[in-house]
Amino acid sequence: MQPDAIADALERHGVVDLAELGSNPVRTARRHGLVLLQGSAAVAETQPAGPIQHMHAAALVVPPPRALLSEAALWAHGWGELPDLVEIGVEDTRGLAVRAPVVGRRVAAATLVGAVVRRGLPVAQLETAVVQACVRLADPQAVQLVERLLRGRGTTPDRLRTACRRGFDGSRKVRAALEVLDGGDLELQKRRLRAALSAAGVTDLRSEVRLVSKAGASCYLDLLHDPSRQAFEIDGGYHDLPGQRTVDRRKDRWVRREHGIQIIRIADEEIRRDLAGIVAELLPLLGR
């Protein structure tokens, strides 16, 4: 690799592998004004050397099969913050030489076989990353993460359950979060409510409506009745948590202020227990 190739690689990725330039990457880095990150992977002295660069460096110097795990994978999938700790999974950590903020983790071969590429990085599948990340989360935080993914259509309850393995703490937390969130069939209750309202003569109902403000903020509504500007949010048990109540009130105010839509929240358990009664209460609000 020649100096102009180094410049091209730095422009594309910010990280280059000096292994092809000789047996002494430290000397090579010094000669070309580079800073070593992981092994023979380096960045220019003027470039950032944060978690993103370390992720690319680790993916460059750790031989396949390998994949970023947990919070790093969530970030790469677009569902998490940039992590302080970067975990990279391999089948055997013996002889693996990485340094902070990168740490090596031994994982099953299936985790690496199922790896995907996101943001130019090899990462664990999203559902696997969720289970791994939940190990370090308190139960309410795990519920919040799973809720955000389900609401944003990042995954489904069935795919998350498939990713869970017996005996793993992260799996226990994901299963508990799903139980809190939907009792197993939150989507079913949404469909039942819409079908019952339609059978009662309510038209112009839309499901999973995305609202976007001029500033670019957005959210989804479970059901929207356009003529009356009434929306229905079907809430699982997670919405009884104090922190989530605050989030829900903030969302309700934002939707009312920005879009003139009134949100009515209905517990999924109420729909299971008394769907006919719920519909009877809602019909007058919808002009029926």
Side-chain angles (χ1 to χ4, degrees):
M1 184 182 293
Q2 300 302 314
D4 58 343
I6 293 177
D8 291 342
L10 283 169
E11 184 177 350
R12 290 197 311 272
H13 308 295
V15 178
V16 294
D17 188 357
L18 304 178
E20 298 179 16
L21 291 177
S23 59
N24 194 326
V26 174
R27 184 183 305 161
T28 304
R30 188 181 302 118
R31 183 184 309 133
H32 293 290
L34 305 173
V35 176
L36 288 174
L37 295 180
Q38 301 290 332
S40 59
V43 295
E45 291 178 341
T46 55
Q47 292 242 358
I52 295 177
Q53 286 71 34
H54 278 281
M55 289 183 206
H56 281 282
L60 190 62
V61 302
V62 176
R66 75 282 190 254
L68 296 176
L69 311 174
S70 196
E71 288 89 351
L74 283 179
W75 170 83
H77 280 286
W79 290 99
E81 301 295 326
L82 194 62
D84 295 323
L85 178 71
V86 176
E87 294 180 280
I88 188 162
V90 294
E91 288 188 65
D92 190 351
T93 57
R94 289 176 296 180
L96 181 65
V98 291
R99 54 184 177 176
V102 179
V103 296
R105 297 281 187 250
R106 184 178 178 182
V107 297
T111 298
L112 303 177
V113 170
V116 295
V117 176
R118 296 291 183 269
R119 303 197 190 198
L121 293 162
V123 299
Q125 291 184 347
L126 176 60
E127 292 75 20
T128 300
V130 171
V131 174
Q132 293 167 343
C134 282
V135 171
R136 286 190 287 272
L137 296 179
D139 288 353
Q141 292 174 311
V143 173
Q144 188 174 24
L145 172 60
V146 173
E147 163 85 354
R148 187 156 51 86
L149 282 157
L150 295 180
R151 285 282 182 183
R153 286 183 173 71
T155 185
T156 66
D158 285 343
R159 296 210 309 254
L160 282 172
R161 291 188 184 96
T162 299
C164 292
R165 296 291 182 268
R166 292 182 62 181
F168 289 95
D169 194 40
S171 297
R172 178 193 65 77
K173 291 181 180 181
V174 169
R175 290 192 189 98
L178 289 171
E179 184 175 349
V180 169
L181 283 167
D182 62 17
D185 62 351
L186 183 61
E187 293 299 323
L188 173 61
Q189 304 315 318
K190 295 177 187 178
R191 294 194 296 270
R192 290 184 66 219
L193 177 61
R194 175 168 185 165
L197 289 171
S198 298
V202 178
T203 58
D204 298 310
L205 281 170
R206 289 193 290 149
S207 298
E208 302 299 338
V209 179
R210 183 171 183 249
L211 303 178
V212 182
S213 72
K214 294 180 180 178
S218 67
C219 72
Y220 283 90
L221 300 176
D222 290 337
L223 282 175
L224 173 64
H225 183 245
D226 280 311
S228 67
R229 306 303 285 170
Q230 300 282 338
F232 308 116
E233 288 285 275
I234 302 13
D235 292 343
Y238 169 69
H239 290 265
D240 291 332
L241 297 175
Q244 187 59 35
R245 290 175 186 169
T246 301
V247 173
D248 290 342
R249 286 194 294 268
R250 189 180 302 123
K251 174 183 175 178
D252 295 352
R253 289 195 299 267
W254 180 83
V255 170
R256 185 169 57 250
R257 182 180 66 251
E258 294 278 335
H259 300 278
I261 296 172
Q262 181 70 37
I263 291 181
I264 299 171
R265 293 189 173 273
I266 307 168
D268 60 335
E269 182 57 36
E270 292 182 34
I271 298 175
R272 292 189 193 94
R273 186 176 60 248
D274 187 16
L275 177 59
I278 293 293
V279 170
E281 290 182 18
L282 296 180
L283 288 179
L285 302 176
L286 306 179
R288 302 297 299 178

